[in-house]
Amino acid sequence: MDTNLKIKNEIVALLKKHGVKINAEDLREPPEAEMGDLSLPCFVLSKELKKAPEKIAEDLAKEIKPSDLIINIKNIGPYLNFLLDYSKVAEMIFLQIKKERGDYGVNSNGKGIKVMIEYSQPNTHKEFHIGHVRNVAIGSALVNLYRACGYKVIAANYLGDIGAHVAKVLWYMMNYVNETDIGPDKGEFLGQAYVRAVEELNGNPELQAQVQDILKRLEEGKDKDLMFLWQQTRKWSLDAFNKIYDELDIKFNIDFFESVEEKDGKKMLPELMKLDFIKESEGAIIADLEKYKLGVLVLLRADGTSLYGLKDIPLAIKKFKKYKVDKSLYLVDTRQSQYLEQIFKILELMGFKKEMIHVPYEFVELKSGIISSRTGNIVTYEEVRDAAMIKVANETKERHADWDEKKISEASFKIFLAALKFGMIRQAGDKIITFDLEEALKFDGFTGPYLQYTNARLNSILKKADEQGIKISGKFDYRALGANIEKQLIKDLIFYPQIILMTQQKNDPSILAQFLFSICQNFNTFYHELPVLKADENIKLARLVLIKSIRQVLENGLVLLGIPILKEM
Ligand code: ARG
């Protein structure tokens, strides 16, 4: 059982013996450590006991005798504070972690609930840039977190493989590109073609009309040459994305495509037209949501081509009807908040009221001057990776002259991944990120490599202990763990399962990221203040068990965030 709950239950039982009924949830962490370890705000009892909370606290403090686990009970104002025997608490938590290992921290809150988490959703025919990585890092962490909370999760991608952006690239290729202009890196080629096309089309309605015509023919699907070019280039993009997903260790259970939803959306049109808020306007079809202060959403242009929104309607329904999910999450840029509200409203007005949640996140900026891009203001994932790898590999080589090339490049890549993913996750979604590669790669900041480094340090202590023949199993006297920082670390370990739950409930992996950072900081403080292998026998063993438990929690957390673990670095 969860140690935190066990402790609280013991207090509940203790109070019950004195005829006072409370719930485990009534017990709080006191605002200041000096007050105690757990605190009961006696307001919760004043109604029933018909006494002022201060008086209740005072009376109970006198009345209740300490128990096995609770060594002191005192009142401060309206609070009744409990001081725990940390050697006992430590023993409980170490035992639980040892037993549950990789499962420590998980819960079954979501048992029987199926959710679809849609994330990544890049547009084909454009390059995968660093902003896309933020979505992918948060999204895959959410998938892991929901699973850790017992949900059945379908991780879905939704690829924008048709629409104006695609038509622009195809138009550009048909008019400006020779076969020989296409280099080996097809993804990069398409990205640049898109940028050029936009430049070319800017302020030129005549050319824009040509693009619109291509979009029309693309949706009709009858022009064989055009369809061939579309299929071919679409595949280039998808291959490029898949390569990136592989590198980032990102997996989806299902891929949806705008080109498929586009067809389904058009099929739904007659049904949609029956709804009174779906109207014709100058030949176009719109959803008029003014009444709900949500403006107007164009679904179909006058020339019969579809817009983004027409595709989201069948997709949303499919998720519930075909995949039978109970809940549907959309991890999408904040700038689409109003748009998604419109979609959810349309569905609601269609009588489709389901749990659909937009999880928004802000965009990513680059600290200029560090990495320059040939493509203008876009910095691609590959550019960041290549810049990082040179730097990290050089540094790794310096630290490990004895490692071969393969080992160096594998370790370097893991360090880069940690820097990138943690850099994208560590801030809540409502903050714009200014991604600074130099900063993110540091071993001693609020960074992924710092967590990896701390883990490697934990590992190295345990390895040394092992080499010295020290056996760290069995029962120890945890009274040795009396320092404040040790107590803090024990608290951190106990708190971890609540962090997992909170992170999932708030759809915000930055909560877990920040917790892991803080446990690493606490461990490093401990490490600098107190001896481990050089300590007296009993203290040494107790501290080694503490270290082993911290390593387990850190590794469990890193796995959930998708950050690779290094034994040595
Ligand atoms: N592909 C879209 C874009 O790049 C994002 C798709 C978001 N998901 C959705 N169901 N609309 O802007």
Side-chain angles (χ1 to χ4, degrees):
M1 197 218 253
D2 185 38
T3 300
N4 188 33
L5 195 60
K6 239 192 210 162
I7 295 168
K8 287 182 175 169
N9 283 347
E10 178 141 343
I11 296 176
V12 173
L14 193 62
L15 284 164
K16 201 173 165 196
K17 265 200 242 154
H18 291 81
V20 178
K21 245 191 106 224
I22 62 154
N23 299 315
E25 301 89 74
D26 295 331
L27 293 161
R28 308 275 158 78
E29 286 247 328
E32 280 149 55
E34 291 80 60
M35 291 175 73
D37 300 307
L38 279 167
S39 170
L40 176 71
C42 293
F43 311 102
V44 295
L45 294 170
S46 47
K47 214 170 168 189
E48 202 191 307
L49 301 182
K50 297 192 181 70
K51 272 200 279 191
E54 287 81 1
K55 182 85 175 95
I56 299 175
E58 194 190 321
D59 292 350
L60 286 176
K62 267 187 227 142
E63 216 176 292
I64 301 174
K65 295 280 149 303
S67 75
D68 195 26
L69 194 63
I70 294 129
I71 46 179
N72 192 9
I73 302 161
K74 61 179 180 203
N75 60 308
I76 298 179
Y79 294 94
L80 187 62
N81 299 304
F82 301 87
L83 204 70
L84 303 175
D85 178 345
Y86 259 75
S87 66
K88 298 236 167 58
V89 172
E91 190 174 342
M92 282 162 75
I93 190 66
F94 294 159
L95 200 73
Q96 189 190 352
I97 294 172
K98 187 176 167 203
K99 224 168 78 193
E100 298 179 5
R101 294 162 160 258
D103 281 340
Y104 178 63
V106 308
N107 64 67
S108 53
N109 255 34
K111 201 166 168 231
I113 305 175
K114 200 166 169 186
V115 290
M116 178 150 330
I117 302 182
E118 187 208 282
Y119 73 101
S120 189
Q121 321 112 315
N123 290 334
T124 63
H125 300 74
K126 287 192 195 177
E127 268 190 292
F128 200 94
H129 60 72
I130 199 70
H132 289 117
V133 178
R134 184 171 193 185
N135 183 314
V136 160
I138 297 176
S140 57
L142 283 179
V143 168
N144 295 338
L145 280 153
Y146 269 77
R147 289 191 176 134
C149 292
Y151 292 84
K152 183 153 178 31
V153 181
I154 305 179
N157 200 351
Y158 178 40
L159 296 125
D161 62 341
I162 201 166
H165 63 287
V166 178
K168 282 175 195 163
V169 173
L170 299 182
W171 166 82
Y172 184 80
M173 287 184 73
M174 285 151 71
N175 290 292
Y176 299 83
V177 175
N178 294 315
E179 196 85 23
T180 49
D181 299 335
I182 305 170
D185 188 338
K186 306 285 197 284
E188 183 186 330
F189 164 77
L190 288 174
Q192 292 181 5
Y194 177 72
V195 174
R196 301 260 159 71
V198 171
E199 278 166 15
E200 210 63 51
L201 289 160
N202 197 5
N204 194 329
E206 216 169 292
L207 298 183
Q208 288 164 10
Q210 292 177 10
V211 171
Q212 202 47 44
D213 179 58
I214 289 181
L215 180 59
K216 196 167 171 223
R217 276 152 51 208
L218 202 55
E219 289 189 10
E220 285 162 2
K222 286 183 196 125
D223 181 334
K224 281 222 172 83
D225 290 344
L226 180 67
M227 295 318 275
F228 179 80
L229 184 63
W230 174 63
Q231 287 288 3
Q232 185 186 38
T233 49
R234 176 181 180 273
K235 186 168 183 319
W236 291 349
S237 263
L238 297 179
D239 288 347
F241 294 162
N242 284 329
K243 189 169 169 280
I244 296 172
Y245 294 142
D246 277 349
E247 285 192 19
L248 294 176
D249 196 21
I250 299 297
K251 290 177 190 71
F252 296 98
N253 303 112
I254 192 162
D255 286 338
F256 294 115
F257 294 95
E258 284 193 29
S259 60
V260 175
E261 300 316 318
E262 190 270 323
K263 292 201 182 69
D264 290 349
K266 275 189 183 153
K267 272 187 223 147
M268 281 184 74
L269 269 175
E271 186 192 331
L272 288 169
M273 294 298 289
K274 287 185 204 147
L275 301 161
D276 62 353
F277 66 97
I278 307 274
K279 298 174 181 159
E280 253 189 82
S281 166
E282 297 170 39
I285 294 177
I286 63 161
D288 182 356
L289 303 168
E290 292 290 8
K291 215 163 110 187
Y292 311 96
K293 300 206 164 51
L294 286 172
V296 163
L297 184 70
V298 183
L299 299 175
L300 199 77
R301 295 185 189 88
D303 69 355
T305 56
S306 329
L307 282 116
Y308 186 42
L310 185 64
K311 311 169 205 178
D312 257 317
I313 299 169
L315 177 60
I317 296 173
K318 191 179 288 176
K319 288 177 181 177
F320 287 93
K321 290 214 167 140
K322 182 163 174 203
Y323 295 94
K324 307 240 175 329
V325 301
D326 303 294
K327 192 173 167 147
S328 173
L329 253 56
Y330 292 72
L331 183 63
V332 182
D333 192 318
T334 309
R335 286 167 287 188
Q336 295 189 29
S337 291
Q338 151 118 4
Y339 164 74
L340 284 170
E341 258 185 80
Q342 291 175 322
I343 292 295
F344 298 162
K345 190 73 189 175
I346 293 173
L347 286 155
E348 184 195 318
L349 293 171
M350 289 169 69
F352 197 80
K353 201 164 165 36
K354 298 276 182 190
E355 201 179 349
M356 292 179 275
I357 301 157
H358 176 208
V359 180
Y361 64 92
E362 280 288 354
F363 55 88
V364 180
E365 285 175 345
L366 257 267
K367 206 178 161 203
S368 55
I370 295 164
I371 317 151
S372 73
S373 161
R374 292 143 291 136
T375 48
N377 44 12
I378 291 171
V379 176
T380 66
Y381 158 74
E382 278 99 348
E383 285 173 308
V384 176
R385 177 199 60 200
D386 294 347
M389 280 300 279
I390 295 171
K391 187 174 150 60
V392 181
N394 279 335
E395 289 169 0
T396 310
K397 230 178 270 170
E398 266 171 39
R399 285 196 312 278
H400 297 283
D402 55 325
W403 284 10
D404 63 22
E405 282 299 318
K406 186 166 170 268
K407 200 165 172 190
I408 285 176
S409 95
E410 278 171 7
S412 304
F413 193 69
K414 286 184 180 170
I415 294 169
F416 155 67
L417 277 188
L420 185 63
K421 290 191 182 179
F422 194 82
M424 295 297 172
I425 290 175
R426 64 177 202 164
Q427 305 278 22
D430 61 355
K431 308 243 173 11
I432 295 170
I433 290 182
T434 308
F435 186 72
D436 180 343
L437 184 62
E438 296 277 333
E439 215 39 64
L441 286 170
K442 283 197 176 141
F443 278 27
D444 60 352
F446 182 21
T447 69
Y450 172 71
L451 304 195
Q452 283 178 322
Y453 193 73
T454 305
N455 188 62
R457 173 174 279 167
L458 289 158
N459 231 14
S460 119
I461 301 170
L462 291 165
K463 196 171 150 216
K464 267 193 210 136
D466 190 52
E467 283 161 6
Q468 292 176 13
I470 302 170
K471 291 270 160 297
I472 38 174
S473 60
K475 267 192 155 198
F476 303 114
D477 185 353
Y478 295 113
R479 274 175 303 187
L481 304 177
N484 276 342
I485 190 68
E486 290 170 317
K487 215 166 136 177
Q488 182 56 50
L489 281 162
I490 293 163
K491 275 191 189 174
D492 289 343
L493 296 176
I494 295 174
F495 204 45
Y496 176 71
Q498 272 159 280
I499 291 288
I500 298 302
L501 184 62
M502 207 150 75
T503 304
Q504 177 268 323
Q505 284 173 340
K506 295 204 179 319
N507 294 316
D508 180 4
S510 77
I511 297 173
L512 175 58
Q514 286 170 19
F515 169 84
L516 294 179
F517 176 61
S518 113
I519 197 171
C520 285
Q521 282 184 308
N522 289 337
F523 164 70
N524 284 313
T525 304
F526 158 88
Y527 178 76
H528 289 119
E529 279 178 8
L530 302 166
V532 179
L533 294 173
K534 290 203 176 84
D536 290 347
E537 194 60 18
N538 184 35
I539 301 177
K540 174 163 70 185
L541 290 170
R543 288 188 179 151
L544 284 169
V545 181
L546 173 64
I547 287 173
K548 206 172 170 183
S549 309
I550 297 169
R551 182 181 64 176
Q552 184 72 62
V553 165
L554 181 56
E555 289 193 356
N556 291 1
L558 288 171
V559 168
L560 291 175
L561 294 184
I563 294 177
I565 290 160
L566 278 159
K567 289 220 148 32
E568 213 184 333
M569 65 190 276

